[in-house]
């Protein structure tokens, strides 16, 4: 069931359901090197959250993972970036 498209802000219960689905999906991604085992949780995440939130959360996770690697000294720039 997809989240209904609407202009009103989600209710508290809808926000909590979205955040819970996001957190479960992110925990799954953290536990697996491959995203395939997390497909069901991704579906739940997409069903519970508005599309613009999904886009934001996906970008946020990418940023947080980059920041985590960078701060740990594990970030390796690509050859293209290194030559710039």
């Amino acid at each position: 069931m997809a989240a209904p498209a609407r202009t009103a802000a989600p209710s508290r219960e809808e926000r909590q359901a979205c955040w819970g689905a996001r957190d479960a999906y992110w925990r799954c991604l953290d536990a697996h090197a491959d995203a395939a085992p997390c497909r069901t949780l991704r579906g739940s995440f997409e069903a519970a959250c508005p599309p613009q939130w999904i886009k934001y959360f996906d970008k946020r996770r990418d940023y947080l993972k980059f920041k985590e690697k960078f701060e740990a000294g594990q970030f390796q720039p690509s050859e293209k970036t290194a030559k710039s």
Side-chain angles (χ1 to χ4, degrees):
M1 179 176 120
R6 59 183 182 190
T7 57
S11 70
R12 180 179 188 161
E13 292 79 21
E14 290 168 327
R15 289 191 310 270
Q16 289 177 332
C18 173
W19 296 331
R22 175 205 59 197
D23 293 346
Y25 175 58
W26 283 13
R27 278 191 302 273
C28 181
L29 292 176
D30 288 341
H32 299 90
D34 181 13
C38 306
R39 277 183 277 196
T40 302
L41 291 172
R42 176 69 188 196
S44 298
F45 171 49
E46 290 178 354
C49 300
Q52 66 272 22
W53 287 26
I54 295 166
K55 185 177 178 180
Y56 169 79
F57 289 142
D58 286 344
K59 287 182 179 183
R60 178 83 177 145
R61 179 175 168 79
D62 290 345
Y63 169 74
L64 291 172
K65 289 299 173 184
F66 164 78
K67 182 179 173 188
E68 185 179 288
K69 284 183 177 182
F70 187 80
E71 289 176 346
Q74 299 171 346
F75 175 71
Q76 298 294 323
S78 67
E79 284 185 31
K80 183 179 178 182
T81 305
K83 290 179 183 176
S84 319

Coordinates of all heavy atoms in Angstrom, one line a residue:
M1 N 0.9 -1.2 0.0 CA 0.0 0.0 0.0 C 0.9 1.2 0.0 O 1.7 1.4 0.9 CB -0.9 0.0 1.3 CG -1.8 1.1 1.4 SD -2.9 0.9 2.8 CE -2.4 2.4 3.7
A2 N 0.8 2.0 -1.0 CA 1.6 3.2 -1.1 C 1.0 4.4 -0.2 O -0.2 4.4 -0.1 CB 1.7 3.7 -2.5
A3 N 1.8 5.2 0.3 CA 1.4 6.4 1.0 C 0.6 7.3 0.1 O 1.0 7.5 -1.0 CB 2.5 7.1 1.6
P4 N -0.6 7.7 0.6 CA -1.4 8.6 -0.3 C -0.8 9.9 -0.6 O -0.1 10.5 0.3 CB -2.7 8.8 0.5 CG -2.3 8.5 1.9 CD -1.2 7.5 1.9
A5 N -0.9 10.3 -1.8 CA -0.4 11.7 -2.2 C -1.3 12.7 -1.7 O -2.5 12.7 -1.9 CB -0.3 11.8 -3.7
R6 N -0.8 13.6 -0.9 CA -1.6 14.7 -0.3 C -0.7 15.9 0.0 O 0.5 15.8 0.1 CB -2.3 14.2 0.9 CG -1.4 13.7 1.9 CD -2.1 13.1 3.1 NE -1.0 12.8 4.1 CZ -1.2 12.1 5.1 NH1 -2.4 11.7 5.4 NH2 -0.3 11.8 5.9
T7 N -1.4 17.0 0.3 CA -0.7 18.2 0.6 C -0.6 18.4 2.1 O 0.3 19.1 2.6 CB -1.3 19.4 0.0 OG1 -2.7 19.5 0.4 CG2 -1.3 19.3 -1.5
A8 N -1.5 17.8 2.9 CA -1.4 18.0 4.4 C -0.2 17.2 5.0 O 0.2 16.2 4.4 CB -2.7 17.5 5.0
A9 N 0.3 17.7 6.0 CA 1.4 17.1 6.7 C 0.9 15.7 7.3 O -0.2 15.6 7.7 CB 1.9 18.0 7.8
P10 N 1.8 14.7 7.3 CA 1.5 13.4 7.9 C 1.2 13.6 9.4 O 1.7 14.4 10.1 CB 2.7 12.6 7.7 CG 3.5 13.3 6.6 CD 3.2 14.7 6.7
S11 N 0.3 12.7 9.9 CA -0.1 12.8 11.3 C 1.1 12.2 12.1 O 2.1 11.6 11.5 CB -1.3 11.9 11.5 OG -1.0 10.5 11.3
R12 N 1.0 12.4 13.4 CA 2.1 11.8 14.2 C 2.3 10.3 14.0 O 3.4 9.9 14.0 CB 1.8 12.2 15.7 CG 2.8 11.7 16.7 CD 2.4 12.0 18.1 NE 3.5 11.7 18.9 CZ 3.7 12.2 20.1 NH1 2.8 13.1 20.6 NH2 4.7 11.9 20.9
E13 N 1.2 9.6 14.0 CA 1.3 8.2 13.8 C 1.9 7.8 12.4 O 2.7 6.9 12.4 CB -0.1 7.5 13.9 CG -0.7 7.6 15.3 CD -1.3 9.0 15.6 OE1 -1.6 9.8 14.7 OE2 -1.5 9.3 16.8
E14 N 1.5 8.6 11.4 CA 2.1 8.3 10.1 C 3.6 8.6 10.1 O 4.4 7.9 9.5 CB 1.4 9.1 9.0 CG 0.0 8.7 8.8 CD -0.8 9.7 7.9 OE1 -0.6 10.9 8.0 OE2 -1.7 9.2 7.2
R15 N 4.0 9.7 10.7 CA 5.4 10.0 10.8 C 6.2 8.9 11.6 O 7.3 8.5 11.1 CB 5.6 11.4 11.5 CG 5.2 12.6 10.7 CD 5.7 13.9 11.3 NE 5.4 14.1 12.7 CZ 4.3 14.6 13.2 NH1 3.3 15.0 12.4 NH2 4.1 14.7 14.5
Q16 N 5.6 8.5 12.7 CA 6.3 7.4 13.4 C 6.4 6.1 12.6 O 7.4 5.4 12.7 CB 5.6 7.2 14.8 CG 5.8 8.4 15.7 CD 5.0 8.2 17.0 OE1 4.0 7.6 17.1 NE2 5.5 8.8 18.1
A17 N 5.4 5.8 11.9 CA 5.4 4.6 11.0 C 6.5 4.7 10.0 O 7.2 3.8 9.7 CB 4.0 4.3 10.4
C18 N 6.6 5.9 9.4 CA 7.6 6.2 8.4 C 9.0 6.0 9.0 O 9.9 5.3 8.4 CB 7.4 7.6 7.8 SG 8.7 8.1 6.6
W19 N 9.2 6.7 10.1 CA 10.6 6.6 10.7 C 10.9 5.2 11.1 O 12.1 4.8 11.0 CB 10.6 7.6 11.9 CG 10.5 9.0 11.5 CD1 10.8 9.6 10.3 CD2 9.9 10.1 12.3 NE1 10.5 11.0 10.4 CE2 9.9 11.3 11.6 CE3 9.4 10.1 13.6 CZ2 9.5 12.5 12.1 CZ3 8.9 11.3 14.1 CH2 9.0 12.5 13.3
G20 N 9.9 4.5 11.6 CA 10.2 3.1 12.0 C 10.6 2.2 10.8 O 11.5 1.4 10.9
A21 N 9.8 2.4 9.7 CA 10.1 1.6 8.5 C 11.5 2.0 8.0 O 12.3 1.2 7.6 CB 9.1 1.9 7.5
R22 N 11.9 3.3 8.0 CA 13.2 3.8 7.6 C 14.3 3.1 8.5 O 15.3 2.6 8.0 CB 13.3 5.3 7.7 CG 14.7 5.8 7.4 CD 14.9 7.2 8.0 NE 14.8 7.1 9.5 CZ 14.7 8.2 10.3 NH1 14.6 9.4 9.7 NH2 14.6 8.1 11.6
D23 N 14.1 3.2 9.8 CA 15.1 2.7 10.7 C 15.3 1.2 10.5 O 16.4 0.7 10.5 CB 14.7 3.0 12.1 CG 14.7 4.5 12.5 OD1 15.3 5.2 11.7 OD2 14.2 4.8 13.5
A24 N 14.2 0.4 10.3 CA 14.3 -1.0 10.1 C 15.1 -1.3 8.8 O 16.0 -2.2 8.7 CB 12.9 -1.7 10.0
Y25 N 14.8 -0.5 7.7 CA 15.5 -0.7 6.4 C 16.9 -0.3 6.6 O 17.8 -1.1 6.1 CB 14.8 0.2 5.4 CG 15.4 0.2 4.1 CD1 15.6 -0.9 3.3 CD2 15.9 1.4 3.5 CE1 16.3 -0.9 2.1 CE2 16.5 1.5 2.3 CZ 16.7 0.3 1.6 OH 17.3 0.3 0.3
W26 N 17.3 0.7 7.3 CA 18.7 1.1 7.4 C 19.4 0.1 8.2 O 20.6 -0.2 8.0 CB 18.8 2.5 8.1 CG 18.5 3.6 7.1 CD1 17.9 3.6 5.9 CD2 18.7 5.0 7.4 NE1 17.8 4.8 5.3 CE2 18.3 5.7 6.2 CE3 19.3 5.7 8.4 CZ2 18.4 7.1 6.1 CZ3 19.4 7.1 8.3 CH2 18.9 7.8 7.2
R27 N 18.8 -0.5 9.3 CA 19.5 -1.5 10.1 C 19.8 -2.7 9.2 O 20.9 -3.3 9.3 CB 18.6 -2.0 11.3 CG 18.7 -1.0 12.5 CD 18.1 -1.6 13.7 NE 16.6 -1.9 13.5 CZ 15.6 -1.1 13.7 NH1 15.9 0.2 14.1 NH2 14.4 -1.4 13.5
C28 N 18.8 -3.1 8.3 CA 19.1 -4.2 7.4 C 20.2 -3.9 6.5 O 21.1 -4.7 6.3 CB 17.8 -4.5 6.6 SG 17.9 -5.9 5.4
L29 N 20.3 -2.7 5.9 CA 21.4 -2.3 5.0 C 22.7 -2.3 5.8 O 23.7 -2.8 5.2 CB 21.2 -0.9 4.5 CG 20.0 -0.7 3.5 CD1 19.9 0.7 3.1 CD2 20.2 -1.6 2.2
D30 N 22.7 -1.9 7.0 CA 23.9 -2.0 7.8 C 24.4 -3.4 8.1 O 25.6 -3.6 8.2 CB 23.7 -1.2 9.2 CG 23.6 0.3 9.0 OD1 24.1 0.8 8.0 OD2 23.1 0.9 10.0
A31 N 23.5 -4.3 8.2 CA 23.8 -5.7 8.5 C 24.2 -6.5 7.3 O 24.8 -7.6 7.4 CB 22.6 -6.4 9.2
H32 N 23.9 -6.0 6.1 CA 24.2 -6.8 4.9 C 25.0 -6.0 3.9 O 24.7 -4.8 3.7 CB 22.9 -7.2 4.2 CG 22.0 -8.1 5.0 ND1 21.1 -7.6 5.9 CD2 22.0 -9.4 5.2 CE1 20.5 -8.6 6.5 NE2 21.0 -9.7 6.1
A33 N 26.0 -6.6 3.2 CA 26.8 -5.9 2.2 C 26.0 -5.6 1.0 O 26.2 -4.7 0.2 CB 28.0 -6.7 1.9
D34 N 25.0 -6.5 0.7 CA 24.1 -6.4 -0.4 C 22.7 -5.9 0.0 O 22.2 -6.4 1.0 CB 24.1 -7.8 -1.1 CG 23.2 -7.8 -2.4 OD1 22.9 -6.7 -2.9 OD2 22.9 -8.9 -2.8
A35 N 22.1 -5.1 -0.8 CA 20.7 -4.6 -0.4 C 19.6 -5.6 -0.8 O 18.5 -5.4 -0.3 CB 20.5 -3.3 -1.2
A36 N 19.9 -6.7 -1.5 CA 18.9 -7.7 -1.9 C 18.1 -8.2 -0.7 O 16.9 -8.3 -0.8 CB 19.5 -8.8 -2.7
P37 N 18.7 -8.6 0.4 CA 17.9 -9.1 1.5 C 16.9 -8.1 2.1 O 16.1 -8.4 2.9 CB 18.9 -9.6 2.6 CG 20.2 -9.6 1.9 CD 20.1 -8.7 0.7
C38 N 17.1 -6.8 1.8 CA 16.4 -5.8 2.4 C 15.2 -5.3 1.5 O 14.6 -4.3 1.9 CB 17.3 -4.6 2.7 SG 18.7 -5.1 3.7
R39 N 14.9 -6.0 0.4 CA 13.9 -5.5 -0.5 C 12.5 -5.4 0.1 O 11.8 -4.4 -0.1 CB 13.8 -6.4 -1.7 CG 14.9 -6.1 -2.8 CD 14.7 -7.0 -3.9 NE 15.4 -8.2 -3.6 CZ 15.8 -9.1 -4.4 NH1 15.4 -9.0 -5.7 NH2 16.4 -10.2 -4.0
T40 N 12.2 -6.3 1.0 CA 10.9 -6.3 1.6 C 10.8 -5.0 2.5 O 9.8 -4.3 2.5 CB 10.6 -7.6 2.4 OG1 10.7 -8.7 1.6 CG2 9.2 -7.5 3.1
L41 N 11.9 -4.8 3.3 CA 11.9 -3.6 4.1 C 11.9 -2.3 3.3 O 11.3 -1.3 3.8 CB 13.1 -3.7 5.1 CG 13.0 -4.8 6.1 CD1 14.3 -4.9 6.9 CD2 11.9 -4.5 7.1
R42 N 12.5 -2.3 2.2 CA 12.5 -1.2 1.3 C 11.0 -0.9 0.9 O 10.6 0.3 0.8 CB 13.4 -1.4 0.1 CG 13.3 -0.2 -0.9 CD 14.0 1.0 -0.4 NE 13.7 2.1 -1.4 CZ 14.4 3.3 -1.4 NH1 15.3 3.5 -0.5 NH2 14.1 4.2 -2.2
G43 N 10.3 -1.9 0.5 CA 8.9 -1.8 0.1 C 8.1 -1.2 1.3 O 7.2 -0.4 1.0
S44 N 8.3 -1.7 2.5 CA 7.6 -1.2 3.6 C 7.9 0.3 3.9 O 7.1 1.1 4.2 CB 8.0 -1.9 4.9 OG 7.6 -3.3 4.8
F45 N 9.2 0.7 3.7 CA 9.7 2.0 3.8 C 9.0 2.9 2.8 O 8.4 4.0 3.1 CB 11.2 2.0 3.6 CG 11.9 3.4 3.5 CD1 11.6 4.4 4.4 CD2 12.8 3.6 2.5 CE1 12.3 5.6 4.3 CE2 13.5 4.8 2.4 CZ 13.2 5.8 3.3
E46 N 8.9 2.5 1.5 CA 8.3 3.3 0.5 C 6.8 3.4 0.7 O 6.2 4.4 0.3 CB 8.6 2.6 -0.9 CG 10.0 2.8 -1.3 CD 10.4 2.2 -2.6 OE1 9.6 1.5 -3.2 OE2 11.6 2.4 -3.0
A47 N 6.2 2.3 1.3 CA 4.7 2.4 1.5 C 4.4 3.3 2.7 O 3.3 3.9 2.7 CB 4.2 1.0 1.8
A48 N 5.3 3.4 3.6 CA 5.0 4.2 4.8 C 5.3 5.7 4.7 O 4.8 6.5 5.5 CB 5.7 3.6 6.0
C49 N 6.2 6.0 3.8 CA 6.7 7.4 3.7 C 6.3 8.1 2.4 O 6.2 7.5 1.4 CB 8.2 7.4 3.8 SG 8.9 6.7 5.3
P50 N 6.1 9.4 2.5 CA 5.8 10.2 1.3 C 7.1 10.2 0.4 O 8.2 10.1 0.9 CB 5.6 11.7 1.8 CG 5.3 11.5 3.3 CD 6.0 10.3 3.7
P51 N 6.9 10.2 -0.9 CA 8.0 10.1 -1.9 C 9.1 11.1 -1.6 O 10.3 10.8 -1.7 CB 7.3 10.3 -3.2 CG 5.9 10.0 -3.0 CD 5.6 10.3 -1.6
Q52 N 8.8 12.4 -1.3 CA 9.8 13.4 -1.0 C 10.6 13.0 0.2 O 11.8 13.3 0.3 CB 9.3 14.8 -1.0 CG 8.3 15.1 0.2 CD 6.9 14.8 -0.1 OE1 6.6 14.0 -1.0 NE2 6.0 15.4 0.6
W53 N 10.0 12.4 1.2 CA 10.8 12.0 2.4 C 11.7 10.8 2.0 O 12.8 10.8 2.5 CB 9.8 11.5 3.5 CG 9.0 12.6 4.2 CD1 8.7 13.8 3.6 CD2 8.5 12.6 5.5 NE1 8.0 14.5 4.6 CE2 7.8 13.8 5.7 CE3 8.5 11.6 6.5 CZ2 7.2 14.1 6.9 CZ3 7.8 11.9 7.6 CH2 7.2 13.1 7.9
I54 N 11.3 9.9 1.2 CA 12.1 8.8 0.8 C 13.4 9.3 0.1 O 14.5 8.9 0.4 CB 11.3 7.8 -0.1 CG1 10.2 7.2 0.7 CG2 12.3 6.8 -0.7 CD1 9.2 6.5 -0.2
K55 N 13.2 10.3 -0.8 CA 14.3 10.9 -1.5 C 15.3 11.5 -0.5 O 16.5 11.3 -0.6 CB 13.8 11.9 -2.5 CG 14.8 12.5 -3.4 CD 14.2 13.4 -4.4 CE 15.2 14.1 -5.3 NZ 14.6 15.0 -6.3
Y56 N 14.7 12.3 0.4 CA 15.5 12.9 1.4 C 16.3 11.9 2.3 O 17.5 12.1 2.5 CB 14.7 13.8 2.3 CG 15.4 14.3 3.5 CD1 16.3 15.4 3.4 CD2 15.3 13.7 4.8 CE1 17.1 15.8 4.5 CE2 16.0 14.2 5.9 CZ 16.9 15.2 5.7 OH 17.6 15.6 6.8
F57 N 15.6 10.9 2.8 CA 16.2 9.9 3.6 C 17.3 9.1 2.9 O 18.4 8.8 3.4 CB 15.2 8.9 4.2 CG 14.3 9.6 5.3 CD1 13.0 9.2 5.3 CD2 14.8 10.5 6.2 CE1 12.2 9.8 6.3 CE2 14.0 11.0 7.2 CZ 12.7 10.7 7.2
D58 N 17.1 8.8 1.6 CA 18.1 8.1 0.8 C 19.4 9.0 0.7 O 20.5 8.5 0.9 CB 17.6 7.8 -0.6 CG 16.6 6.6 -0.6 OD1 16.5 5.9 0.4 OD2 15.9 6.4 -1.6
K59 N 19.2 10.3 0.4 CA 20.3 11.2 0.3 C 21.0 11.3 1.6 O 22.2 11.4 1.7 CB 19.9 12.5 -0.3 CG 19.6 12.5 -1.7 CD 19.2 13.9 -2.2 CE 18.9 14.0 -3.7 NZ 18.6 15.3 -4.1
R60 N 20.2 11.4 2.7 CA 20.8 11.6 4.0 C 21.6 10.4 4.4 O 22.7 10.5 5.0 CB 19.6 11.7 5.0 CG 20.0 11.9 6.4 CD 20.4 13.3 6.8 NE 20.8 13.4 8.2 CZ 21.7 14.1 8.7 NH1 22.4 14.9 7.9 NH2 22.0 14.2 9.9
R61 N 21.2 9.2 4.1 CA 21.9 8.0 4.4 C 23.2 7.9 3.7 O 24.3 7.6 4.2 CB 21.1 6.7 4.1 CG 21.9 5.4 4.4 CD 21.1 4.2 4.3 NE 22.0 3.0 4.3 CZ 22.5 2.5 5.3 NH1 22.3 3.0 6.5 NH2 23.3 1.4 5.3
D62 N 23.2 8.3 2.4 CA 24.4 8.3 1.6 C 25.4 9.3 2.2 O 26.6 9.0 2.3 CB 24.1 8.7 0.1 CG 23.4 7.7 -0.7 OD1 23.4 6.5 -0.2 OD2 22.8 8.0 -1.7
Y63 N 24.9 10.5 2.6 CA 25.8 11.5 3.2 C 26.4 11.0 4.5 O 27.6 11.1 4.7 CB 25.0 12.8 3.4 CG 25.8 13.7 4.3 CD1 26.9 14.4 3.8 CD2 25.5 13.9 5.6 CE1 27.7 15.3 4.6 CE2 26.3 14.8 6.4 CZ 27.3 15.4 5.9 OH 28.1 16.3 6.7
L64 N 25.5 10.4 5.3 CA 26.0 9.9 6.6 C 27.1 8.8 6.5 O 28.0 8.8 7.2 CB 24.9 9.4 7.5 CG 23.9 10.5 8.0 CD1 22.7 9.9 8.7 CD2 24.6 11.5 8.9
K65 N 26.9 7.9 5.5 CA 27.8 6.9 5.3 C 29.2 7.4 4.8 O 30.2 7.0 5.1 CB 27.3 5.8 4.3 CG 26.2 5.0 5.0 CD 26.7 4.2 6.1 CE 25.7 3.5 6.9 NZ 26.3 2.9 8.1
F66 N 29.1 8.4 3.9 CA 30.3 9.1 3.4 C 31.0 9.8 4.5 O 32.2 9.6 4.7 CB 29.9 10.1 2.3 CG 31.0 11.1 2.0 CD1 32.1 10.7 1.2 CD2 31.0 12.4 2.6 CE1 33.1 11.6 1.0 CE2 32.0 13.3 2.3 CZ 33.1 12.9 1.5
K67 N 30.3 10.5 5.3 CA 30.9 11.2 6.5 C 31.5 10.2 7.4 O 32.7 10.5 7.9 CB 29.8 12.0 7.2 CG 30.3 12.8 8.3 CD 29.2 13.6 9.0 CE 29.6 14.3 10.2 NZ 28.5 14.9 11.0
E68 N 30.9 9.1 7.7 CA 31.4 8.1 8.6 C 32.8 7.6 8.1 O 33.8 7.5 8.8 CB 30.4 7.0 8.7 CG 30.8 5.9 9.7 CD 29.6 4.9 9.7 OE1 28.6 5.2 10.2 OE2 29.9 3.8 9.2
K69 N 32.8 7.3 6.8 CA 34.1 6.8 6.2 C 35.1 7.9 6.1 O 36.3 7.6 6.4 CB 33.8 6.3 4.7 CG 33.2 5.0 4.6 CD 33.0 4.6 3.2 CE 32.4 3.2 3.0 NZ 32.4 2.8 1.6
F70 N 34.7 9.1 5.8 CA 35.7 10.2 5.8 C 36.3 10.5 7.1 O 37.5 10.6 7.2 CB 35.0 11.5 5.2 CG 35.9 12.6 5.0 CD1 36.6 12.7 3.8 CD2 36.0 13.6 5.9 CE1 37.5 13.7 3.6 CE2 36.9 14.7 5.7 CZ 37.6 14.7 4.5
E71 N 35.5 10.5 8.1 CA 36.0 10.8 9.5 C 36.9 9.6 10.0 O 37.7 9.9 10.9 CB 34.8 11.1 10.4 CG 34.2 12.4 10.2 CD 33.0 12.7 11.0 OE1 32.4 11.8 11.7 OE2 32.5 13.9 11.0
A72 N 36.6 8.4 9.6 CA 37.4 7.3 10.0 C 38.7 7.2 9.2 O 39.5 6.3 9.4 CB 36.6 6.0 9.9
G73 N 38.9 8.1 8.2 CA 40.1 8.0 7.3 C 40.0 6.9 6.3 O 41.0 6.5 5.7
Q74 N 38.8 6.4 6.0 CA 38.6 5.3 5.1 C 38.2 5.7 3.7 O 38.0 4.9 2.8 CB 37.6 4.3 5.6 CG 38.0 3.7 6.9 CD 36.9 2.8 7.5 OE1 35.8 2.9 7.1 NE2 37.3 2.0 8.5
F75 N 38.0 7.0 3.5 CA 37.5 7.5 2.2 C 38.7 7.5 1.2 O 39.7 8.0 1.5 CB 36.9 8.9 2.4 CG 36.6 9.6 1.0 CD1 35.5 9.1 0.3 CD2 37.3 10.6 0.5 CE1 35.1 9.7 -0.9 CE2 37.0 11.1 -0.8 CZ 35.9 10.7 -1.4
Q76 N 38.4 6.9 0.1 CA 39.4 6.9 -1.0 C 38.8 7.6 -2.2 O 37.8 7.1 -2.8 CB 39.8 5.5 -1.4 CG 40.4 4.7 -0.3 CD 41.8 5.3 0.1 OE1 42.5 5.7 -0.7 NE2 42.0 5.2 1.4
P77 N 39.3 8.8 -2.6 CA 38.7 9.5 -3.8 C 39.0 8.7 -5.0 O 40.0 7.9 -5.1 CB 39.5 10.8 -3.8 CG 40.7 10.6 -2.9 CD 40.4 9.5 -2.0
S78 N 38.1 8.8 -6.0 CA 38.3 8.1 -7.2 C 39.5 8.7 -8.0 O 39.9 9.8 -7.7 CB 37.0 8.2 -8.1 OG 36.8 9.5 -8.5
E79 N 40.0 8.0 -9.0 CA 41.1 8.5 -9.7 C 40.7 9.9 -10.4 O 41.5 10.8 -10.5 CB 41.6 7.5 -10.8 CG 42.4 6.4 -10.2 CD 42.9 5.5 -11.3 OE1 43.2 5.9 -12.4 OE2 43.0 4.3 -11.0
K80 N 39.5 9.9 -10.9 CA 39.0 11.1 -11.6 C 39.0 12.3 -10.6 O 39.5 13.4 -10.9 CB 37.6 10.9 -12.1 CG 37.0 12.0 -12.9 CD 35.6 11.7 -13.4 CE 35.1 12.9 -14.1 NZ 33.7 12.6 -14.6
T81 N 38.5 12.1 -9.4 CA 38.5 13.2 -8.4 C 39.9 13.5 -8.0 O 40.2 14.7 -7.8 CB 37.7 12.7 -7.1 OG1 36.4 12.3 -7.6 CG2 37.6 13.8 -6.1
A82 N 40.8 12.6 -7.8 CA 42.2 12.8 -7.3 C 43.0 13.6 -8.3 O 43.8 14.4 -8.0 CB 42.9 11.5 -7.0
K83 N 42.6 13.5 -9.6 CA 43.4 14.2 -10.7 C 42.9 15.7 -10.8 O 43.6 16.5 -11.4 CB 43.2 13.5 -12.0 CG 44.0 12.2 -12.0 CD 43.8 11.5 -13.4 CE 44.5 10.1 -13.4 NZ 44.2 9.4 -14.6
S84 N 41.7 16.0 -10.3 CA 41.2 17.4 -10.4 C 42.0 18.4 -9.7 O 42.5 18.2 -8.7 CB 39.8 17.5 -10.0 OG 39.0 16.4 -10.3

